[in-house]
Amino acid sequence: MSAPGEGTPFEALRGQLQEAATEFADGPDALQGILLGIVDDVDRAVREPLEIFPVCHHSPASAVAMARRLREKQPKVVYLELCEDMAPLLPELRNCRLPVAVQAFASEVEGFPAEWAPLSVVAPITEASAEYQAIAYALDTPGVELVLVDRSSDHVFQWQAGAPEPSGPDVPPAEEEAALHGDAVGVEIGDLRPRFAELEEHLLHHGRVRHWSEWWHQYVELPLGDSDHDTYRQVMLLIGSLFRRLAPGDTDRVRVDEDRERHMWTRMREHLAATGTDPEDCLYVCGAFHASSRVAEFGVHGSDTFEITPPSGSTWQYGLIPSSHAAIEAQFGLAAGSVSIAATQWAKNLRRTRVQPFRLAGQAGVKKTAKPRRAAAPAGPVAPDVPSDKLSGFLQSPPALDRLDEAELLGWSVEIVRSARRNGYLASTADAIAVFETSILLAGMRDRARPTPYDFQDAAVTCIEKEAVPGRRDVRRLVEILMGGDRIGQVGYDALPPLARDVHDRLAPLNLKLQQRGVQRALLDMTARPELRQCSDVLWMLRHLMPHGAARPIMGERELGKQSVQESWDLALGTHQRALVELGYEGVSIEQVLEQRLRRVAYAPGATTAQVLGAVEDAVLHLRSGRLADELGTRALEVLATERSVDGAPEVLRRVRRLLAYYRISRPVLPTWIESFAKTGYAHYCTLLPTAFTDEDATVRQVAAMLGFLFSMESLALSLGCDRAQLDLAFAQSHPQEPSRVALLWAAQVQLGRLSRTELRERCDELLDNPLVVPAYPRYLSGFLHALEPVPQLAGFVVEAVSNAFARLPDPVLLPWLPKLITTLRSEGADLAPLLIREAGRVFPGRLAALDTWVPPWRAAPEQPAAPAVTGGGTARRAALLAAHPETCDSLAELLGCEGVWETGAPGPAGAMLVGRHPETAVALEALLAGA
């Protein structure tokens, strides 16, 4: 076996590099090894029988070179560096408008940590990319086979813990379009960026550019745009080898890269052996970084020692999701606008080189060709091309200086000023001239005869953007839009998963273009068109399942026991198409997905009682499933029995009240689970009540919610067998010290009849009369405000207490308390404020003029009722009515089990005379009713 360099076309280049290394490095040491190693990598890849085509991700030069080479070589087999499990989805690209991304999604994770779920891998595809040219050629050319050879989506997570987050100055800001890929791990062909930070800094400094995307555009894209195949191939191999040899020693990343290369060559050799295809009839499309691989498995004659591990037990789903230029830039750390500039450069390259690109037949936005595409020629004995040295001439020749295209630059300058005016900038014709001249000046300072889009962008920012941005977009963003804009792809109806197609079919009566991006208004009149009721059901489920803004109700509501007759919606399903596609990975219908998610919430390890009750309510509202609601209700009962805190008491009370009211009006018999919930909750909160009154972690609102549950559920719980003694013992053991909780306990005692309103009023007066307690009186009032939840009958007394506070509290105490009172009512008492306001409106005068003479009812002197006159005649007449119609008294006596006979001939009934003799009871009853 000959040594590297012997008998190869790169001997002259190798000698020149060796002399340069000796001269500049003061000896043939590390630099010589790197330079000669690069040449050896290029030589090795060029001499490989299976042609290696190195590319860079979303590079117009790579796409043009790929289209040209495919038409020249017409290979029978195309090996592509892409996840091998994504192959069945590629034919669906013809039903989409690029850019889109091929996605692998796994919600059920097995073999990976649970916190990684869900797993998502995306491979974005644009028209100006070499991989799309290879896919379109292979799918539309008869007799050509496309084989994906990269690791599967499952191995992406097997081989590395996660994808690194893009960082650095090139990362664009997070926007709606930049978030189209979500948290997915990106897979790209040809990640060509120096991994050696000092090398990248050196290249940017001497290239007089700001970021890597601009350097690549200036020094690689433009020179290789018109180059021949051999020059393009050798230069890309050279760049890939250089970046590979200067990469830092990140062992994990190097291991993953080498395992990918072993995987790809192993798959290619397996396919060649299985099909008997001649390597000369194949083309291997991979990133330039992997084309210069030095693993032992490299080449068709490499070793077969690499073992591919089996996939995990995770269930993977596949689909297409919309992508955008901004999403690609954000995911792969490219400069903002670089992919849009690449798309513009792709169109220029096609016009200049007259290369006919490959496009999938029937794809949206593609014009129909008049002539059918020529099929691949039958394979024949073709002598392999003898590689020649193209690197020496490319490296030694000076860069070609493009002359200034004044018409193009002038058009850019005029358009950016017009766009700036539309976006609120005070730009004029003078600014257009300034942008034109400044672009030429910046290009000259950077040794460029022709301003690039990046020079023009810097000039526009300098000349137009002032101190502030008047609109939503700054000048840099306006230039990106001018250079082609952020193209956003769309997945066609036929390429959508079954769930997404079902949603579109069920919403068809709305007569809206649901795949169109942007917000659309849907008006539903269910009275005139009853068939729209089903559309309403779908929209409410989508609102629950999809991100905010996908389906937003403007008019109409859906609550337990209520149903709207008219609704208005803002729909943006086209904008959130990725979320709709990912719903299709979870089930075949939105009802199934919603049921799965409700179960997931209810049976989560950290689920609370309030969350499970929320799932029960959603099941009743959206699914109308009694079976699921009963199952989740039983789960809520289990969770309640295990809770040892009262954090969720307010939410539990609110949801249980709604569910109980709904079941009482919709079912003849309450469900078993809610009866058990009332019994268990009554005993549960009775047990926690004494501790909650003194627990510093429990808030007053939570304690009030517990009392509200006990009082509102008491009658139901007692009818089901609970003992009232539990509540009595709980209050007997409750000894709060904090003023608001003390007031809450007093209000509860009023509800239980242990404390009268008169006694409660006296206690409050004692607090106001005590100078030591006056500063704490607002806290007592806060407790009374929260007491309206369990004891709403105290609304009148709370109005009285607050009024007395405003009348008697000194300003140093009252003024600091007012903000706290307002915030308390806003945050915690929003549902209690109407009750308080209504009671205040009943008590206070309705006119301002009457306020001067108005006397509060609690300050007015109580009128002593006159003793009723005892007259035998009147009493006899009233008692004679009972004697004349004894049926009512007889029925009541029989019901109570009393026996007796009517007296006759008496001057008057004894009972009526008893009232006249002892009027104290009637007077006390009248006073009690007047106070209530």
Side-chain angles (χ1 to χ4, degrees), residues 524-527 533 555-557 563-568:
L524 287 74
D525 186 357
M526 275 80 76
T527 303
R533 182 73 63 185
M555 181 183 70
E557 60 182 359
Q563 204 166 21
S564 303
V565 296
Q566 289 183 337
E567 294 178 353
S568 176

Side-chain angles (χ1 to χ4, degrees), residues 447-475:
D447 296 333
R448 294 195 279 266
R450 179 178 183 174
T452 66
Y454 299 98
D455 298 326
F456 173 74
Q457 187 180 57
D458 292 341
V461 172
T462 302
C463 300
I464 298 178
E465 193 163 275
K466 304 301 188 287
E467 296 180 356
V469 178
R472 188 169 61 93
R473 300 185 178 98
D474 57 7
V475 175

Side-chain angles (χ1 to χ4, degrees), residues 53 55 62-63 65-67 70 75 77-81 90 93 125-127 129-141 144-148 189 283-286 346 357-360:
F53 194 95
V55 299
S62 296
M66 172 63 71
L70 290 173
V77 178
V78 177
Y79 297 112
L80 183 61
E81 178 195 341
L90 296 182
L93 289 174
I125 298 176
T126 63
E127 187 177 352
S129 58
E131 60 265 37
Y132 175 72
Q133 295 299 308
I135 293 171
Y137 164 78
L139 294 182
D140 281 357
T141 305
V144 176
E145 184 178 4
L146 178 64
V147 182
L148 306 186
I189 299 179
L283 186 67
Y284 172 35
V285 183
C286 68
W346 157 256
F358 290 93
R359 293 185 176 94
L360 289 171

Side-chain angles (χ1 to χ4, degrees), residues 572-844:
L573 297 184
T575 304
H576 297 83
Q577 194 178 48
R578 177 185 67 87
L580 183 61
V581 170
E582 290 183 350
L583 281 183
Y585 301 150
E586 302 183 42
V588 296
S589 67
I590 53 177
E591 287 84 1
Q592 180 186 2
V593 174
L594 180 57
E595 181 174 344
Q596 291 176 354
R597 290 198 179 183
L598 293 179
R599 292 180 187 274
R600 196 179 307 147
V601 169
Y603 290 94
T608 63
T609 306
Q611 292 174 346
V612 182
L613 289 176
V616 175
E617 190 172 347
D618 291 334
V620 175
L621 277 177
H622 303 304
L623 298 177
R624 298 184 177 89
S625 173
R627 171 191 54 82
L628 180 62
D630 293 345
E631 177 186 344
L632 299 182
T634 305
R635 171 62 180 169
L637 182 61
E638 298 173 358
V639 176
L640 177 66
T642 60
E643 283 187 345
R644 292 297 177 263
S645 67
V646 295
D647 295 341
E651 187 71 12
V652 170
L653 173 62
R654 184 170 61 88
R655 294 191 180 277
V656 165
R657 278 178 173 173
R658 279 207 300 259
L659 288 168
L660 187 60
Y662 169 76
Y663 283 126
R664 278 175 171 167
I665 64 176
S666 62
R667 288 192 182 184
V669 179
L670 290 178
T672 305
W673 75 267
I674 202 167
E675 293 182 348
S676 301
F677 192 91
K679 292 174 56 178
T680 305
Y682 186 82
H684 178 73
Y685 285 129
C686 282
T687 304
L688 296 180
L689 185 62
T691 305
F693 264 118
T694 57
D695 188 4
E696 295 181 357
D697 295 333
T699 64
V700 181
R701 181 167 177 258
Q702 293 169 355
V703 179
M706 293 176 60
L707 294 175
F709 185 94
L710 292 173
F711 292 156
S712 60
M713 296 290 169
E714 183 178 14
S715 58
L716 178 60
L718 295 180
S719 65
L720 295 174
C722 290
D723 191 356
R724 176 67 181 274
Q726 293 178 301
L727 186 62
D728 296 335
L729 290 175
F731 276 98
Q733 297 172 358
S734 300
H735 305 287
Q737 300 294 329
E738 202 270 331
S740 59
R741 300 173 193 240
V742 172
L744 195 61
L745 179 61
W746 290 350
Q749 290 176 344
V750 171
Q751 174 69 16
L752 295 176
R754 299 181 179 181
L755 191 67
S756 65
R757 293 198 178 192
T758 303
E759 294 174 340
L760 183 60
R761 186 178 292 110
E762 293 174 354
R763 291 186 181 184
C764 291
D765 292 339
E766 292 175 0
L767 295 176
L768 288 173
D769 294 337
N770 189 342
L772 299 178
V773 184
V774 165
Y777 188 73
R779 296 164 65 186
Y780 284 94
L781 290 182
S782 298
F784 286 130
L785 287 176
H786 286 95
L788 293 179
E789 176 72 49
V791 192
Q793 299 86 352
L794 281 182
F797 175 80
V798 174
V799 171
E800 174 186 345
V802 173
S803 301
N804 289 334
F806 278 89
R808 300 179 58 179
L809 285 179
D811 290 345
V813 176
L814 184 63
L815 294 180
W817 171 66
L818 286 178
K820 184 177 180 181
L821 174 65
I822 296 173
T823 56
T824 301
L825 286 174
R826 276 188 175 183
S827 61
E828 300 179 357
D831 52 342
L832 302 176
L835 178 64
L836 201 61
I837 294 173
R838 185 170 60 252
E839 184 65 24
R842 189 186 67 83
V843 172
F844 288 94

Side-chain angles (χ1 to χ4, degrees), residues 217 222 340-341 344-345 348 351 404-420 431-433 435-436 439-440 443 450-460 464 475 478-484:
H217 174 84
L222 297 180
S340 298
I341 293 175
T344 304
Q345 187 65 33
K348 291 182 179 179
R351 290 194 299 268
L404 174 63
D405 189 345
E406 294 187 359
E408 180 187 53
L409 182 59
L410 185 61
W412 288 354
S413 303
V414 173
E415 289 298 326
I416 190 59
V417 169
R418 182 181 292 113
S419 178
D431 293 315
I433 299 174
V435 172
F436 180 87
S439 300
I440 299 176
R450 179 178 183 174
T452 66
Y454 299 98
D455 298 326
F456 173 74
Q457 187 180 57
D458 292 341
I464 298 178
V475 175
L478 295 179
V479 174
E480 296 171 11
I481 297 175
L482 175 64
M483 291 298 162

